[in-house]
Amino acid sequence: MATAFPLAWPFGLPRTEAGRRVASQFKTELPAALKNVQNSLRRFGEATGKAVSSVVISSNYTLGVSNPADPGVAVWFLWDGKERCIAVDRYPRLQHNLQAIHHVLEARVTEARHGGLRIVQQTFTGFVALPAPADINGRTPAQVLGIDGRSFGREDVIAAHRALAMKLHPDRQDGDGQAMADLNAARDALLMGLPS
């Protein structure tokens, strides 16, 4: 299951670039947005007749930083026997991304009330939490790049890739085509889950 901090973004879901975030019309503050999401999860479980459990609201929020540079929010939970995740980073404020998740959940509640469980199950297939990146020849992408065991950002991934590519590129004397392919796959897997 995901962690509440730091932000555990679902693998495979592209991030919104910081310069492409848009101002929202929401006036909701953080405590109210949290309560709205919690109430929507409860209503969703009631409307579908399938309990929601193991809820984790994941973000970069801390007591010292209430509006982090990366305002993305991912709500992870178990429903209908599967781990689900609804993640939003469209807006520059954490509470507005939370409020957007509340509205997504309310739309599912409406579907359940008017269309039944099958429609909700069909629309919720897109919210199934994808597994973490597959191992690359027995190693995680971070291990392939030599940055496992520590936190890293886009710049770290790019720098590690560049340094190793200078050694492994097939055009180099001791280069290795498969090692370079693994290196590229590791870079792409990690960058997909990091903010731009």
Side-chain angles (χ1 to χ4, degrees), residues 141-188:
Q143 288 171 331
V144 171
L145 289 170
I147 56 175
D148 61 312
R150 62 183 174 98
S151 60
F152 53 84
R154 293 183 72 80
E155 299 79 21
D156 301 306
V157 171
I158 292 167
H161 176 269
R162 187 175 294 127
L164 288 170
M166 291 177 68
K167 299 175 188 172
L168 299 174
H169 196 280
D171 291 345
R172 306 288 265 174
Q173 182 176 355
D174 294 326
D176 181 334
Q178 182 58 53
M180 189 66 201
D182 291 349
L183 188 65
N184 289 340
R187 175 202 59 200
D188 295 346

Side-chain angles (χ1 to χ4, degrees), residues 90-110:
R90 175 179 170 87
Y91 304 112
R93 299 199 51 135
L94 187 128
Q95 61 263 36
H96 297 170
N97 289 318
L98 260 174
Q99 189 67 9
I101 291 170
H102 155 67
H103 287 289
V104 170
L105 285 163
E106 286 300 309
R108 305 294 77 81
V109 170
T110 301

Side-chain angles (χ1 to χ4, degrees), residues 23 32 38 43 48 66 76 97 108-109 117 134 158 190 192 194:
Q38 292 165 340
R43 282 194 297 274
T48 61
S66 60
W76 298 81
N97 289 318
R108 305 294 77 81
V109 170
L117 183 60
I158 292 167
L190 291 177
M192 190 178 308
L194 293 170

